[in-house]
Amino acid sequence: MSDLEALLRRAAAGAAEWDSTGMPREMVSAAAEAGMLGMDRPARYGGRGADALETGRAAAELGAVCTSLRSLFTVQGMVAAAIDRWGTTEQRARWLPALTGGELVGGLAATEAVAGSNLSGIATRFTGSGPELRVSGRKR
C-alpha cells in the first residue's frame, strides 16, 4: 500500500465528521509523513519534486475522500509555492521545510470587492520592480 493509499484510508474513516468538527491536527502530520504537503517543492526543502500531473492526481484522490484533507493539501502547496517563487533564500530555508514537514500550517486569504474569494476574478495588479513596486486594487 502506498503512502497516499494509507492516508486516504485513514481520512475516509473520519472525513464526514470533520466537515462539522474540523480535521484533527494529527492528520497534518499524517499528510506530511505521506509526502503530500508541498509535494511539488524540491527535495532540498522536503518536497518530492512532483510534476503538475502527479500533484493534480493527488489532489483529485484526496478530494474524492475528504475535502478537508484536499484543502490542506492545496493551501499548503499554494503557500509553499509562493514562498519558493518569491521568498529569499533565507525565507525558503526557514519556511519550506516547516510547511512540507507539517510543522506549520499555511493560510491564504484572497478577497476583493467584486471577486470575493473567486481567485480568477482578482483584479489587483503589481507593476514595477524592486523598491518601486506598485500595487493597484481594492481590498474588501
Side-chain angles (χ1 to χ4, degrees):
M1 177 185 318
S2 74
D3 292 338
L4 177 57
E5 289 170 333
L7 181 65
L8 292 172
R9 284 182 190 225
R10 191 168 171 191
E17 181 182 334
W18 301 343
D19 285 344
S20 60
T21 63
M23 189 175 66
R25 178 70 169 110
E26 61 263 16
M27 287 307 295
V28 175
S29 299
E33 289 168 16
M36 294 292 107
L37 301 183
M39 68 185 286
D40 57 341
R41 296 302 94 211
R44 70 181 173 275
Y45 298 124
R48 297 181 3 206
D51 63 19
L53 182 60
E54 184 181 359
T55 303
R57 284 183 176 152
E61 290 185 47
L62 291 167
V65 172
C66 178
T67 30
S68 295
L69 191 55
R70 197 266 322 137
S71 293
L72 169 70
F73 173 83
T74 303
V75 172
Q76 199 80 343
M78 290 170 64
V79 171
I83 293 169
D84 198 8
R85 182 172 180 178
W86 294 297
T88 64
T89 301
E90 294 79 18
Q91 289 168 331
R92 286 186 206 103
R94 178 178 180 190
W95 297 109
L96 291 176
L99 288 166
T100 59
E103 178 186 335
L104 294 177
V105 175
L108 172 72
T111 61
E112 285 187 358
V114 177
S117 61
N118 173 11
L119 294 179
S120 66
I122 299 290
T124 296
R125 297 290 178 253
F126 295 89
T127 56
S129 63
E132 299 299 319
L133 188 62
R134 182 182 192 110
V135 180
S136 64
R138 284 184 51 197
K139 290 297 289 173
R140 192 169 208 187

